[in-house]
Amino acid sequence: SGSLRGSPPKGTKGSTATGPTSAGNNSGRDVDGVDENESVDGCRTVNAVFKKAGPMGFTLEDISARVRAENNKKDGADGDGEAEWSVSVMRLEREVLNRPGEAELLGVMAGDVLTAVNGCDLRCIGFKEVCRLLGESTFPRRLRFQRR
């Protein structure tokens, strides 16, 4: 997996989330850490705020094909439908051995689906575009995840 600085390298299925340094504030909820009290479509919502630039502590993966297949199986469709979400946390990363990374400290878990960056809904946005939006987003970086 490559470093997330804009778009991931061609042919990459995963990207390590680090992102460039930036300042300012887009929209989004001002929530530190985890807020698992919300429920959307039977899934818990996890909000994580990354206050400063640096390693975010997770690697993303493109799940659009898997989501599309699951949706088509439920709907009895032929496989041409659009995937609602395209990005999930493949694994958590640690900067220092035996010390949780930033994402883990904020309550993010492997398998969580990234649904918003600084208030921007990621529904039906492809993996590369999500990676670009994440890499260009300002700090504090507010990420919303769904946990199934």
Side-chain angles (χ1 to χ4, degrees), residues 118-137:
N118 287 350
C120 176
D121 190 286
L122 302 177
R123 191 180 326 263
C124 299
I125 297 177
F127 179 74
K128 287 183 179 183
E129 181 67 8
V130 168
C131 290
R132 187 190 64 75
L133 289 169
L134 183 59
E136 294 176 357
S137 63

Side-chain angles (χ1 to χ4, degrees), residues 6 34 37 45 47 58 68 80 103 134 139:
V34 179
N37 297 326
T45 299
N47 294 292
F58 59 82
R68 193 171 24 259
D80 294 333
L134 183 59
F139 289 89

Side-chain angles (χ1 to χ4, degrees), residues 61-119:
E61 71 175 323
D62 185 349
I63 60 166
S64 55
R66 184 173 70 217
V67 170
R68 193 171 24 259
E70 288 171 3
N71 289 343
N72 290 333
K73 190 174 183 180
K74 278 192 278 186
D75 300 339
D78 61 7
D80 294 333
E82 212 171 281
E84 186 174 22
W85 306 112
S86 66
V87 178
S88 78
V89 176
M90 182 166 51
R91 69 176 166 267
L92 298 172
E93 307 285 341
R94 293 181 172 211
E95 287 299 302
V96 178
L97 189 64
N98 297 325
R99 185 167 169 215
E102 189 69 16
E104 190 173 350
L105 291 172
L106 293 173
V108 177
M109 296 174 65
D112 287 351
V113 176
L114 183 60
T115 61
V117 174
N118 287 350

Side-chain angles (χ1 to χ4, degrees), residues 2 12 14 27-28 36 42 51 58 66 87 107 135 137 144:
T12 303
S27 60
E36 293 187 41
K51 294 182 180 183
F58 59 82
R66 184 173 70 217
V87 178
S137 63
R144 185 177 67 225

